[in-house]
Amino acid sequence: MSMNSPFKSDILKGEVALLTGGGSGIGLEISTQFGKHGASIAIMGRRKNVIDDAVSALQSLGITAVGFEGDVRKREDAQRVVEATVKHFGKLDILVNAAAGNFLVAAEDLSPNGFKTVMDIDTVGTFTMCHEALKYLKKDAPGRNSSSGGFILNISATSHYTASWYQIHVSAAKAAVDALTRNLALEWGTDYDIRVNGIAPGPIGGTAGMSKLVPQEINNKIKDYMPLYKVGDKWDIAMAAVYLASDAGKYINGMTMPVDGGLWLSRPRHLPKDGVKQLSRTVEKRSRAAPTGVPTSKL
Ligand code: COA
């Protein structure tokens, strides 16, 4: 779905953004919206054809874009892609860590290597990219004339706020990503004026996450369980990203924003609203009418 942005189209003008996983799903929508708001885009991904198609799609929208093949699990790839981005555009202002691995599996059926694979992509990959990008994101880094440091955005999840069925690996990995967000915000915010924030998407339509993690029959009913009664759009995540990356977010640091329509708060409603009114009034009346051993003057 294509919706108009409520933000001015130049709020990221002149910024250079590198996005891991920026060639598909939520990452591609953030690439697109960053580009539409004036940023130049570098995307990093494992699949050359996906990267090539994404770059063509961005360019067809008039966005300056380049793609680099690479796997965030390999430090040499992270280093090479960060260097190539700076070589191509002359600087780096924004890093978005959107690359992630996911699949549904019961904890007892998940091999330690399967657990490690997701930790390696989501957590270690995010740290590696941040680490490689640091020197270019500092306030006085080469090519950056900005009076402030750069910006890092980590795409997280809400699965670890409580617990999620068949997602032990992802919950552990994203809990650690949120810890990276807070710790880097503290250290690099203080030392280098770099802001580090996160976004925790809920179920977002048209993503691999939805098709991989939510069976179709639940997918059809999912809105019935949600506080806002709807699944999110990739656009919702991208608008939150534009807001956080822009000057509008200049005092926001170390925060992971859930963009899930309030789903993580939801609980099954055991009693209809009318029922609760009736019940609580009845209980009140009952206790007023029949106080047990309490003098009326004390009621
Ligand atoms: N259930 C259980 N274990 C699984 C699994 C599944 N569906 N998929 C992979 N694994 C395990 C493998 O068995 C292996 O462990 P083992 O060596 O003990 O057998 C380990 O994970 C690595 O698997 P492999 O296929 O070699 O990893 P990969 O690097 O080729 O792929 C994944 C990475 C597993 C994350 C893959 O799902 C992927 O690339 N996904 C695309 C990106 C994605 O998931 N995006 C998320 C959108 S929400």
Side-chain angles (χ1 to χ4, degrees):
M1 191 189 299
S2 176
M3 283 170 279
N4 289 331
S5 166
F7 300 110
K8 287 185 180 163
S9 60
D10 63 351
I11 57 171
L12 297 178
K13 191 164 181 236
E15 304 278 299
V16 173
L18 167 61
L19 299 93
T20 70
S24 61
I26 287 172
L28 178 56
E29 183 65 18
I30 299 175
S31 300
T32 307
Q33 294 298 340
F34 276 13
K36 283 186 169 181
H37 290 83
S40 299
I41 306 298
I43 56 182
M44 173 178 180
R46 280 183 295 165
R47 294 164 295 173
K48 187 175 178 341
N49 59 326
V50 173
I51 294 293
D52 288 347
D53 290 352
V55 168
S56 303
L58 292 170
Q59 287 172 342
S60 71
L61 294 170
I63 295 166
T64 306
V66 64
F68 300 109
E69 231 181 304
D71 186 336
V72 296
R73 288 173 286 188
K74 296 181 184 147
R75 188 174 178 192
E76 60 277 16
D77 284 14
Q79 196 167 24
R80 173 178 49 77
V81 171
V82 169
E83 298 294 335
T85 302
V86 173
K87 194 163 180 224
H88 189 86
F89 289 118
K91 61 166 185 161
L92 180 65
D93 301 294
I94 299 170
L95 169 68
V96 179
N97 291 297
N102 208 342
F103 45 81
L104 283 182
V105 62
E108 68 197 60
D109 296 327
L110 176 64
S111 70
N113 191 46
F115 183 88
K116 182 176 177 297
T117 299
V118 172
M119 293 296 288
D120 279 347
I121 300 171
D122 295 21
T123 309
V124 185
T126 293
F127 181 72
T128 305
M129 291 302 298
C130 292
H131 204 263
E132 294 303 330
L134 171 62
K135 67 173 181 244
Y136 298 111
L137 294 174
K138 293 179 182 175
K139 190 158 49 178
D140 50 1
R144 300 193 75 252
N145 304 318
S146 175
S147 57
S148 55
F151 175 64
I152 296 174
L153 178 67
N154 296 327
I155 302 302
S156 186
T158 59
S159 47
H160 53 291
Y161 291 0
T162 53
S164 287
W165 286 100
Y166 314 131
Q167 290 279 276
I168 194 168
H169 46 328
V170 174
S171 298
K174 296 300 194 182
V177 166
D178 288 359
L180 297 185
T181 298
R182 286 190 291 266
N183 281 273
L184 293 181
L186 176 69
E187 290 195 30
W188 294 356
T190 306
D191 290 345
Y192 305 118
D193 200 29
I194 295 170
R195 288 187 303 118
V196 187
N197 287 309
I199 292 176
I204 300 296
T207 59
M210 274 302 267
S211 45
K212 268 181 100 166
L213 308 178
V214 187
Q216 195 56 46
E217 62 275 19
I218 295 179
N219 203 335
N220 293 339
K221 286 191 300 191
I222 197 166
K223 63 182 181 53
D224 296 340
Y225 301 106
M226 298 195 57
L228 292 180
Y229 294 99
K230 58 195 167 206
V231 167
D233 294 308
K234 287 180 268 191
W235 184 91
D236 294 310
I237 307 303
M239 285 302 115
V242 169
Y243 165 66
L244 290 171
S246 75
D247 279 348
K250 71 182 172 50
Y251 201 51
I252 301 174
N253 191 26
M255 188 218 41
T256 296
M257 181 195 278
V259 183
D260 73 338
L263 179 62
W264 80 273
L265 299 165
S266 70
R267 298 283 181 280
R269 195 196 297 240
H270 295 301
L271 196 60
K273 213 168 5 180
D274 288 344
V276 83
K277 274 187 202 155
Q278 241 176 354
L279 182 75
S280 76
R281 288 288 176 208
T282 314
V283 170
E284 243 174 82
K285 274 180 201 148
R286 207 184 296 142
S287 66
R288 276 190 196 151
T292 47
V294 185
T296 346
S297 59
K298 298 255 166 76
L299 288 174

